[in-house]
Amino acid sequence: DKYRIKARLVELNKTQVWLTRELIKRGENVTDSAICKYRSGALNTPKSKRILALCDKVLKEYEREGLNYAEAPQNRERTEKYI
């Protein structure tokens, strides 16, 4: 997936459920299974493109918050395994 959503969630030690809840807080009507289909390309619609872009925006906000989870020495090996 072009936004590397799954890898970035691992780097931030977040789950797709967390991401779905963040999108719902922002007023989106979306489910975990829909996000999975959007990421895989199984659903390629204007809504899927909008949701993936919003996922990217949410992840960027958390990546900017300071020390990224992946940068902590004890987490590097775990993160690299999923990338």
Side-chain angles (χ1 to χ4, degrees):
D1 91 73
K2 103 178 190 184
Y3 294 111
R4 295 182 52 250
I5 292 169
K6 185 172 183 162
R8 290 164 69 196
L9 285 168
V10 170
E11 291 168 3
L12 294 167
N13 196 29
K14 300 287 186 187
T15 64
Q16 186 169 294
V17 172
W18 168 85
L19 183 57
T20 302
R21 289 180 182 150
E22 288 295 312
L23 297 176
I24 291 169
K25 285 181 194 175
R26 293 166 189 242
E28 293 295 337
N29 183 14
V30 67
T31 64
D32 293 331
S33 67
I35 291 175
C36 188
K37 290 175 185 174
Y38 299 160
R39 281 189 14 243
S40 72
L43 282 177
N44 190 6
T45 64
K47 181 178 179 176
S48 69
K49 292 173 185 175
R50 187 182 79 246
I51 295 294
L52 290 175
L54 186 54
C55 288
D56 180 55
K57 181 179 177 182
V58 169
L59 292 171
K60 281 181 182 175
E61 288 172 7
Y62 279 84
E63 288 165 343
R64 289 187 197 124
E65 281 191 352
L67 179 67
N68 188 318
Y69 178 84
E71 293 172 344
Q74 70 271 21
N75 299 324
R76 281 194 188 120
E77 184 178 315
R78 177 179 180 266
T79 302
E80 289 168 0
K81 183 170 94 176
Y82 293 98
I83 297 176

